[in-house]
Amino acid sequence: MQHGSGPNGEKQSKLEKGCHTLQKAFEEKVVAAVESGYRRPFTGADHMAMYTVVYDLCTECNLNNAINKAPDVLYSTYAEMVTKYLKERRIESTGMSADKLLRLVVQRWENHKMIVKTTVKVFGYLDRFHTKHTALDTTTDKGLKCFLTEIYSAVKVDLRGAIFEHIQREREGEVVERGLLRQAIGVFIDMGIGDDCYETKVYNVDFEAPFLTFTGNYYEREAKRWMAENSTTEYMKKAEQRLNEELQRAEAYLHRNSEKPLIRVVEQKLLETLLNLEETGFIALLQDNRLDDIARAYRLFSRIAKGVPPISRLMYEYVTSEGKQIVQKHSSSPELCYKAYTKDLLDIHQKYRSILKNQLNDDPIFAKSIKDAFEAFVNQPVQSHVKGAPPGTPTIKVSCSELISNYCDMLMKNAASKMDDDELENVLEQVVAIFGYINDKDHFQEFYRKQLSKRLLVSVVNDDCERSLISKLKMRQGAPYTSRLEGMLKDKNLSADWQAKFRNHLAAKKMTFGFDATMQVLTTGCWPSFQIFPLNVPAQAKAAIDEFATFYDSETQSRKLNWVHSLGTVTIEGVFNRQKFQLQMTTFQACVLLLFNHKDEYTGDELMKKLNLPWDEVKKALQSLAMGKYRILLKEVPESSKISKSVDGGDTFKINNEFTDKSRKLKIPTVVAKANLKHAQQVQQSVEDDRRHAIEACLVRIMKSRKLIEHPILVGECAAQLSNHFIADPRHIKRRIEELIAREYIERDADKPSLYRYLA
Amino acid sequence: MRHVVPRKPAYVPLPTRSNAVGCSHMDSAADAELQTLFERYKAYGVQEGGDPAADAIQGKGLVLFCEDLGVDPFSDVLVLIIAWLLKAEESYQFTRTEFVTGFKRLSACNLDAMRRSAPGWRRLAVGEREWPQFYLFCFSFSKPASQRLLETDGATELWQLLMRGDRAWDRLEDWFGFLARKGVRGITKDVWQQFPEFARTPFEGFDFEGGAWPVLFDEFVAATQNAPADG
């Protein structure tokens, strides 16, 4: 302080005086007010007094137009004041208990904030001009920054340590004062004030980073401990609990930016180690069907990147093995029951569908692994013993397609009576879902088609059921797949129309045949192929047949009728010993019997000639009539040959006039062919043929559109296009390509043999 | 023809040599010479069981022709080369036009001239550019046009004749054995066509999946790789 002479001398001392006043007022009034909790108020008058000093000093105009130094001085005075104030209240943090330190720091900070707030009001005038035009911090910022330098820097490490200690205690289960922690951490956050972009700069460096490391270490230790002490499920429970806890903690007293990194660290430490030892844990859960634990495991693993694929792989393996066990079980059972097999499949499908939905949240990765697993074991054929074959004969392989279609057959036949609509719908949905896993879908179609044709022609059919299943298949596979099946149903209905029309026609013409004739018209191509025999039909039937053929021709154009007599049934009225019987039998059998109206005795060969049928068919008919349950015919063996169980051409037959039975209406059984083996082989054969055509058609289609194409691309395209119907073997495709080359649909390029060109 | 033991002709007069140098310059003279030759062999062919209606050298006539040229028709590839050069169409038969016009084109109008030109023709056939065409020709020539496959036996003989010298293949015998074991009835045109290229392909790293080889080749490679111990 100089009492300097000169024109500014007085001002200096005035300034000096002013500063001194301010300082005193500051200490006496402001500090005291705040530190006493405003018991000694800082009145408006006090405030005005200080403010006036500042104002006067700043606005004093100097006569000499010299630069007013007042603002600078005032500013630095302000800074000094605050600094001095803080220096007097330094915190010696060493040796202080954590709790005490926290409270002290918090309190200091709160006080300081108040002081600054109040003082700023006094020095506020500086902010209007001085700090704005210079690069100085505003008074507020300056004041707060003083805290940073004076108190914070010294104390921050210990403060942090104190906070950590509290957090540790809380993690160990103690209850701590969260408000206090919040405030303490708030200090760190507030220390970043002034840096507009990085509000949390100080916080990040001084608190968050060390905190994350601290947390990481803690959980690493915890993880090791849990691993040693607990089972995997317990571990998972604890992990989940801790994660929730940390989330709450972040919300309660950390800065919102810390939430994500914190969770990330915990996940990393707790869960990634879990991944490594996860081998058997998850499988055990599946085995015991512990749904909650499965759900928890899923929740935890889906948090970590790449957490889900390993366990979904485990799921795939487990489901595949469970499925294969089912196949094994049915393979080793003495008699293969399609019902039991299908039921098992439906059950396992239902089980995993529900797990996927409820526990696994429809996660697509899991959905895929379950789908793959099903595809793996559904396509495994079941080994089955041929019915009635002697032990030691090799087993045959029965595919899922056949078993499922048998099941559908049963459903269609019995369903309506036994199940109500909703239940049936449900079962059908599930069956179609299983169908979706089959690779060779065209196999299924063949089996189903054959069985459908039998149902439509021979048994009673529940139209709604049939349509329901077909529409479900259609939705899954597209219209071309089910077009033939729909055609079959349509034919059945159309046949009824034709029948009615024919009857009207006959009535109009006043024609009768002496019996009731019913015709069914089937469209070739939709129905499986039937063998056509050029049977010699008895006269009465022939008249009816011819009449219908004429009638049909007149009603339609360019259609040819082929009569499939092997499918027909006849009801014959027979009189034996003056007893009337109504006998129901096949057309072939009926034709045999009707011949006996003309002659009493026939040999097998004669019958064959008369009927114009191959011997096998005649033999079957004769066996059923002469040696079956109802002996309508008597067989005589010529003396030379021995008595045999079967029928020969040389045997003689005549009507058994002594035939009798309790009931009047009888159904003559037919000799059943060795069903399963041949049946399946036939299906296999026709599917193979269809596939050959499908592959060729597909190849030609691709060639036509591409004109020029490389071999591997062609094979790939073809396989892809056919994949929805069946899995095509690349070698078969190759053979078809060779076939097309030989038939000159395509050729190899002269320079590049692996390049094919389409020949128009 | 191929499987019959050759017999010496009964007696058919040999045309006397008229010109030692080669073809006569006069077309008509050359024509006449060739016609005479043609008649000789046609007659013999017919005599030994050929079809009298066909105006061609068939069967035995062809054999005699070869013998007059001094080549063994069963082991010498020259017959095929000549057929190729004459652009003969029907299996093992030379029509009048083919014979006369063809040899005129080749400037060989009598047996001497033919004999002299023969080495040149042989060289021509193994030329880089010509051999593939010749090779292909052999396939269609060796079977009736309406037939799609060439019988394995015939193919085997042809391959033995054709895959010589530069084109010799050490696995040829294995290939024949494979065909026999598999009971392959006939060789398709595609297989025949791709065969030379296949013979040049190493078996290591053989591309089964992506390779556009006919399936027969794939199977052969697989069989060879599965039985390496067989000598």
Side-chain angles (χ1 to χ4, degrees):
Chain A
M1 278 205 266
Q2 289 172 353
H3 295 276
S5 54
N8 292 336
E10 270 188 15
K11 280 193 209 88
Q12 272 179 321
S13 59
K14 198 171 176 191
L15 188 54
E16 225 181 68
K17 253 196 267 172
C19 289
H20 196 67
T21 323
L22 284 173
Q23 199 131 9
K24 220 167 121 202
F26 174 74
E27 276 163 25
E28 283 172 14
K29 302 282 170 88
V30 179
V31 176
V34 169
E35 287 196 343
S36 66
Y38 284 99
R39 270 197 296 265
R40 286 185 50 197
F42 185 67
T43 59
D46 296 326
H47 173 262
M48 258 337 274
M50 291 179 75
Y51 185 82
T52 319
V53 173
V54 174
Y55 183 81
D56 285 340
L57 285 174
C58 285
T59 52
E60 193 163 306
C61 41
N62 43 25
L63 302 163
N64 300 343
N65 276 346
I67 300 171
N68 195 345
K69 290 215 191 70
D72 279 325
V73 176
L74 282 172
Y75 189 83
S76 40
T77 315
Y78 162 69
E80 274 167 28
M81 274 182 349
V82 174
T83 312
K84 181 159 164 262
Y85 154 75
L86 285 175
K87 275 201 167 75
E88 287 164 9
R89 282 152 190 78
R90 255 225 171 112
I91 301 182
E92 274 306 317
S93 53
T94 39
M96 211 183 280
S97 81
D99 202 47
K100 193 159 163 207
L101 179 61
L102 282 181
R103 285 183 209 286
L104 195 54
V105 173
V106 167
Q107 189 205 26
R108 281 277 187 278
W109 174 243
E110 292 301 315
N111 286 353
H112 182 72
K113 279 201 277 196
M114 283 312 301
I115 298 224
V116 169
K117 193 161 142 198
T118 320
T119 320
V120 158
K121 283 197 203 146
V122 168
F123 284 86
Y125 189 78
L126 290 174
D127 275 333
R128 277 210 229 152
F129 302 103
H130 185 72
T131 52
K132 252 203 212 156
H133 297 147
T134 57
L136 296 169
D137 292 319
T138 59
T139 44
T140 327
D141 288 347
K142 184 74 179 157
L144 296 176
K145 272 199 177 159
C146 289
F147 187 87
L148 191 140
T149 33
E150 291 304 315
I151 300 205
Y152 173 76
S153 329
V155 126
K156 69 181 175 186
V157 175
D158 287 329
L159 179 63
R160 188 168 66 213
I163 298 177
F164 284 179
E165 204 196 296
H166 272 74
I167 294 182
Q168 176 87 358
R169 291 221 297 258
E170 195 182 37
R171 282 179 177 157
E172 295 294 310
E174 267 185 53
V175 176
V176 293
E177 233 184 280
R178 282 190 162 181
L180 181 59
L181 283 175
R182 190 184 191 73
Q183 283 178 310
I185 294 175
V187 172
F188 285 95
I189 298 176
D190 292 338
M191 284 297 109
I193 286 173
D195 292 328
D196 307 288
C197 318
Y198 300 106
E199 176 192 80
T200 50
K201 191 159 104 176
V202 175
Y203 170 75
N204 284 347
V205 171
D206 286 340
F207 182 75
E208 196 188 58
F211 172 63
L212 291 178
T213 320
F214 169 71
T215 310
N217 293 341
Y218 172 72
Y219 278 113
E220 212 174 295
R221 284 195 306 273
E222 282 297 288
K224 281 209 187 76
R225 199 163 57 88
W226 294 348
M227 211 84 79
E229 292 173 5
N230 296 306
S231 71
T232 324
T233 34
E234 280 303 309
Y235 185 101
M236 287 202 284
K237 276 204 188 110
K238 285 199 169 153
E240 201 175 34
Q241 188 192 15
R242 289 300 187 139
L243 279 168
N244 287 338
E245 210 181 276
E246 292 297 326
L247 195 63
Q248 275 185 333
R249 176 164 301 122
E251 254 176 89
Y253 50 76
L254 298 176
H255 191 274
R256 65 180 180 281
N257 283 358
S258 301
E259 184 184 304
K260 268 216 190 79
L262 172 64
I263 298 291
R264 181 81 197 76
V265 165
V266 179
E267 281 175 356
Q268 194 181 14
K269 293 294 169 187
L270 286 183
L271 298 180
E272 277 173 13
T273 41
L274 187 64
L275 254 188
N276 293 341
L277 67 96
E278 204 9 74
E279 307 312 277
T280 51
F282 194 68
I283 297 209
L285 296 181
L286 287 174
Q287 269 170 343
D288 298 337
N289 211 24
R290 307 233 286 264
L291 299 175
D292 281 336
D293 291 327
I294 293 176
R296 179 173 306 110
Y298 173 69
R299 280 199 300 272
L300 288 178
F301 280 104
S302 55
R303 285 165 175 267
I304 1 178
K306 301 204 189 112
V308 170
I311 35 171
S312 78
R313 177 114 198 106
L314 287 177
M315 167 145 258
Y316 164 76
E317 279 164 17
Y318 180 72
V319 175
T320 313
S321 78
E322 202 179 318
K324 286 203 172 141
Q325 272 176 1
I326 293 183
V327 174
Q328 194 58 33
K329 172 178 124 188
H330 288 278
S331 286
S332 47
S333 74
E335 188 149 318
L336 175 59
C337 174
Y338 62 83
K339 222 160 133 186
Y341 171 82
T342 313
K343 183 122 197 340
D344 283 343
L345 278 193
L346 291 177
D347 283 342
I348 187 176
H349 179 249
Q350 192 57 14
K351 169 175 161 192
Y352 284 104
R353 201 161 79 151
S354 116
I355 289 186
L356 180 66
K357 183 155 155 230
N358 299 331
Q359 272 74 38
L360 298 174
N361 202 27
D362 280 332
D363 185 292
I365 302 182
F366 270 101
K368 181 154 194 325
S369 37
I370 293 180
K371 171 168 164 296
D372 289 340
F374 268 82
E375 277 178 4
F377 69 79
V378 158
N379 287 304
Q380 222 185 8
V382 183
Q383 306 276 18
S384 150
H385 303 277
V386 181
K387 263 194 210 160
T393 45
T395 54
I396 51 169
K397 287 205 177 131
V398 183
S399 66
C400 178
S401 306
E402 193 179 340
L403 294 166
I404 301 278
S405 93
N406 287 347
Y407 187 76
C408 290
D409 193 42
M410 179 217 58
L411 276 182
M412 292 297 135
K413 281 185 187 155
N414 303 335
S417 47
K418 294 207 179 145
M419 290 194 238
D420 60 14
D421 282 341
D422 286 334
E423 210 187 315
L424 181 64
E425 277 296 305
N426 207 5
V427 175
L428 288 181
E429 283 274 355
Q430 292 188 50
V431 171
V432 173
I434 302 269
F435 160 79
Y437 298 120
I438 299 180
N439 278 343
D440 297 333
K441 297 191 172 69
D442 50 356
H443 264 132
F444 176 83
Q445 195 199 50
E446 261 320 291
F447 280 113
Y448 190 75
R449 208 158 69 108
K450 278 208 149 75
Q451 287 167 334
L452 179 63
S453 88
K454 269 206 212 107
R455 288 202 294 274
L456 289 175
L457 294 174
V458 176
S459 353
V460 180
V461 141
N462 185 325
D463 210 41
D464 287 332
C465 284
E466 301 282 354
R467 279 192 199 282
S468 169
L469 182 53
I470 289 178
S471 73
K472 289 190 170 50
L473 288 172
K474 186 167 164 181
M475 261 202 309
R476 225 182 170 291
Q477 289 299 109
Y481 188 79
T482 49
S483 64
R484 289 197 284 192
L485 303 173
E486 287 179 329
M488 287 162 78
L489 282 181
K490 199 169 83 164
D491 277 345
K492 188 101 198 307
N493 293 333
L494 277 184
S495 286
D497 287 344
W498 278 113
Q499 196 52 44
K501 275 202 255 177
F502 187 54
R503 255 189 257 277
N504 291 340
H505 166 85
L506 288 179
K509 269 177 107 176
K510 297 215 200 310
M511 267 178 94
T512 52
F513 300 110
F515 64 96
D516 216 358
T518 320
M519 330 284 189
Q520 285 206 54
V521 183
L522 311 176
T523 316
T524 337
C526 288
W527 297 78
S529 40
F530 304 111
Q531 253 187 319
I532 309 245
F533 298 107
L535 176 64
N536 268 345
V537 194
Q540 314 106 303
K542 192 138 188 6
I545 287 174
D546 288 339
E547 184 58 36
F548 184 81
T550 329
F551 167 68
Y552 190 79
D553 270 339
S554 66
E555 297 278 326
T556 61
Q557 282 138 334
S558 55
R559 291 196 197 177
K560 182 165 176 294
L561 286 176
N562 279 326
W563 294 92
V564 187
H565 294 292
S566 49
L567 295 175
T569 51
V570 184
T571 314
I572 288 193
E573 211 179 69
V575 182
F576 297 88
N577 255 352
R578 275 178 292 185
Q579 284 175 326
K580 274 201 194 161
F581 290 90
Q582 274 204 7
L583 308 165
Q584 204 186 7
M585 59 187 76
T586 70
T587 308
F588 291 166
Q589 291 166 326
C591 290
V592 169
L593 282 186
L594 286 173
L595 282 176
F596 286 91
N597 278 343
H598 304 292
K599 206 167 106 167
D600 285 335
E601 271 186 24
Y602 287 95
T603 61
D605 289 327
E606 285 174 348
L607 286 170
M608 189 173 81
K609 276 206 200 69
K610 281 261 174 187
L611 292 172
N612 200 20
L613 281 179
W615 172 242
D616 276 335
E617 297 298 323
V618 178
K619 182 171 161 179
K620 272 197 273 189
L622 288 172
Q623 265 182 313
S624 58
L625 289 171
M627 305 171 68
K629 192 169 160 197
Y630 306 110
R631 306 257 164 130
I632 315 276
L633 290 179
L634 291 172
K635 178 179 91 162
E636 265 170 30
V637 183
E639 299 88 44
S640 46
S641 55
K642 42 187 171 26
I643 314 273
S644 69
K645 283 227 160 163
S646 77
V647 160
D648 283 319
D651 300 342
T652 320
F653 295 91
K654 56 183 185 202
I655 296 277
N656 178 9
N657 284 316
E658 307 304 314
F659 174 76
T660 185
D661 195 271
K662 278 196 298 255
S663 58
R664 288 281 169 266
K665 280 196 178 164
L666 300 172
K667 185 167 181 325
I668 309 293
T670 44
V671 174
V672 176
K674 287 194 194 28
N676 280 346
L677 193 55
K678 213 166 159 207
H679 181 56
Q681 279 174 349
Q682 272 174 353
V683 168
Q684 183 75 15
Q685 187 59 38
S686 73
V687 166
E688 291 292 326
D689 291 336
D690 281 342
R691 283 189 184 180
R692 222 168 282 148
H693 293 136
I695 296 178
E696 285 189 359
C698 183
L699 286 170
V700 173
R701 211 168 40 234
I702 297 174
M703 287 307 302
K704 213 166 171 180
S705 73
R706 303 285 203 105
K707 302 282 186 239
L708 263 166
I709 190 171
E710 283 276 346
H711 173 87
I713 303 181
L714 178 60
V715 174
E717 271 283 325
C718 187
Q721 284 191 19
L722 294 169
S723 64
N724 214 18
H725 291 281
F726 60 92
I727 306 292
D729 191 346
R731 278 183 313 174
H732 289 162
I733 299 182
K734 222 178 178 193
R735 273 191 222 274
R736 293 297 109 215
I737 294 177
E738 271 185 65
E739 185 67 23
L740 290 178
I741 293 177
R743 300 213 311 252
E744 300 191 354
Y745 277 90
I746 57 182
E747 64 173 7
R748 292 182 193 262
D749 183 81
D751 299 314
K752 205 165 174 237
S754 61
L755 190 63
Y756 298 117
R757 183 178 294 111
Y758 180 65
L759 293 171
Chain B
M1 167 201 146
R2 301 185 296 283
H3 304 285
V4 177
V5 178
R7 270 192 349 239
K8 267 284 172 223
Y11 177 76
V12 179
L14 205 62
T16 50
R17 293 219 263 119
S18 55
N19 195 328
V21 181
C23 257
S24 13
H25 296 289
M26 298 296 286
D27 251 357
S28 51
D31 209 62
E33 281 181 284
L34 289 172
Q35 292 287 356
T36 326
L37 277 177
F38 181 78
E39 287 302 326
R40 165 177 155 81
Y41 299 120
K42 171 183 168 184
Y44 183 65
V46 169
Q47 174 194 317
E48 293 294 325
D51 175 12
D55 189 23
I57 305 176
Q58 310 160 40
K60 291 303 181 50
L62 209 46
V63 179
L64 182 60
F65 176 52
C66 293
E67 290 177 355
D68 285 349
L69 278 179
V71 295
D72 174 9
F74 301 110
S75 66
D76 199 323
V77 77
L78 188 62
V79 186
L80 293 165
I81 298 181
I82 291 178
W84 173 56
L85 291 170
L86 293 184
K87 302 198 203 302
E89 276 176 16
E90 197 49 53
S91 173
Y92 288 104
Q93 154 176 310
F94 296 151
T95 65
R96 186 185 293 270
T97 331
E98 288 166 359
F99 188 84
V100 176
T101 324
F103 275 120
K104 265 209 307 217
R105 195 174 54 240
L106 294 171
S107 310
C109 310
N110 52 48
L111 288 173
D112 268 341
M114 291 176 197
R115 276 193 280 258
R116 270 196 304 276
S117 310
W121 294 338
R122 283 190 208 275
R123 274 197 301 278
L124 181 65
V126 291
E128 265 309 307
R129 243 183 1 168
E130 283 80 18
W131 190 85
Q133 299 168 13
F134 171 57
Y135 173 80
L136 271 180
F137 169 82
C138 291
F139 180 80
S140 30
F141 185 68
S142 307
K143 63 165 179 64
S146 54
Q147 202 176 294
R148 220 180 60 172
L149 301 173
L150 174 62
E151 287 154 17
T152 316
D153 290 338
T156 308
E157 286 186 22
L158 272 180
W159 271 322
Q160 273 170 330
L161 276 180
L162 295 171
M163 308 295 285
R164 292 222 181 123
D166 283 346
R167 303 179 201 278
W169 189 35
D170 49 0
R171 293 194 208 263
L172 201 58
E173 288 303 317
D174 293 334
W175 168 247
F176 295 147
F178 167 74
L179 290 177
R181 272 196 307 275
K182 237 193 158 288
V184 175
R185 247 189 32 231
I187 306 293
T188 63
K189 186 167 174 195
D190 193 39
V191 171
W192 178 265
Q193 211 168 349
Q194 300 295 311
F195 186 77
E197 192 59 41
F198 174 63
R200 274 198 277 227
T201 313
F203 277 20
E204 294 85 46
F206 186 81
D207 188 0
F208 287 98
E209 287 299 312
W213 298 112
V215 179
L216 208 53
F217 293 157
D218 289 340
E219 292 174 346
F220 178 55
V221 176
T224 314
Q225 285 176 346
N226 285 341
D230 294 356

